[in-house]
Amino acid sequence: MAIERTLSIIKPDAVAKNVIGKIYDRFESAGLKIVASKMAHLSQSEAEQFYAVHKERPFFKDLVSFMISGPVMIQVLQGEGAILKNRDLMGATDPKKAEKGTIRADFADSIDANAVHGSDAPETAAVEVAFFFPGMNVFNR
Ligand code: UDP
């Protein structure tokens, strides 16, 4: 399987719960390497741009408000099949439906405050990595 990169965000609810390290452990234990990371408090415009694909959805306004409600931890994960691997680690969008042992099952409270974001395909991963880490800010390890 190919080595991929994917964009991951630990959302404001999980940052507030102080579980960044526990979530990083899930990534590393699964063989994913953190090759870029930064904490940021997104502006409304950044959150709207990042989630532009959802702008017609009924939850868009609440999603943007939630994503700017506190700092987030943003990272690029690298490894074999990183995109799907990260989605498997995250679990279903709604934590009530997420499999036991997934990040969302263990750390998320609701479908809106669901702990993590992860790119869902190679095309979105490329766009999302470039959005937060333009240029040379991703490292080869
Ligand atoms: N979301 C929400 N209500 C919904 C569906 C989605 O608040 O009914 C939020 C949720 O935080 C989710 C994000 O919008 O993580 C993006 O939705 P998507 O369907 O892309 O889910 P994901 O890829 O994050 O699992």
Side-chain angles (χ1 to χ4, degrees):
M1 203 184 286
I3 301 288
E4 294 174 336
R5 284 176 173 173
T6 190
L7 195 276
S8 156
I9 303 178
I10 301 179
K11 295 185 179 183
D13 57 321
V15 171
K17 282 185 185 164
N18 205 25
V19 292
I20 294 170
K22 288 188 172 139
I23 294 175
Y24 271 23
D25 184 47
R26 305 281 175 109
F27 299 148
E28 294 187 334
S29 297
L32 294 173
K33 290 179 178 176
I34 296 156
V35 293
S37 78
K38 64 180 176 188
M39 186 172 275
H41 196 145
L42 302 183
S43 67
Q44 173 145 349
S45 145
E46 283 173 319
E48 284 174 355
Q49 276 180 65
F50 183 75
Y51 278 118
V53 45
H54 293 306
K55 70 172 179 292
E56 305 304 334
R57 308 281 289 275
F59 57 81
F60 180 69
K61 211 163 162 257
D62 288 344
L63 173 60
V64 169
S65 301
F66 169 65
M67 289 302 288
I68 66 175
S69 66
V72 294
M73 195 74 198
I74 311 166
Q75 43 285 325
V76 178
L77 307 176
Q78 180 180 290
E80 279 196 18
I83 296 166
L84 199 58
K85 195 177 265 185
N86 181 43
R87 297 288 306 186
D88 286 345
L89 293 172
M90 289 164 58
T93 309
D94 182 350
K96 288 189 211 82
K97 297 181 182 151
E99 255 182 70
K100 239 176 135 202
T102 60
I103 294 169
R104 282 168 166 166
D106 291 347
F107 301 117
D109 295 324
S110 66
I111 192 165
D112 353 61
N114 63 358
V116 278
H117 167 85
S119 311
D120 60 2
E123 301 73 30
T124 44
V127 170
E128 291 179 0
V129 167
F131 183 83
F132 283 118
F133 299 97
M136 302 299 289
N137 297 322
V138 182
F139 294 86
N140 270 314
R141 303 178 37 202

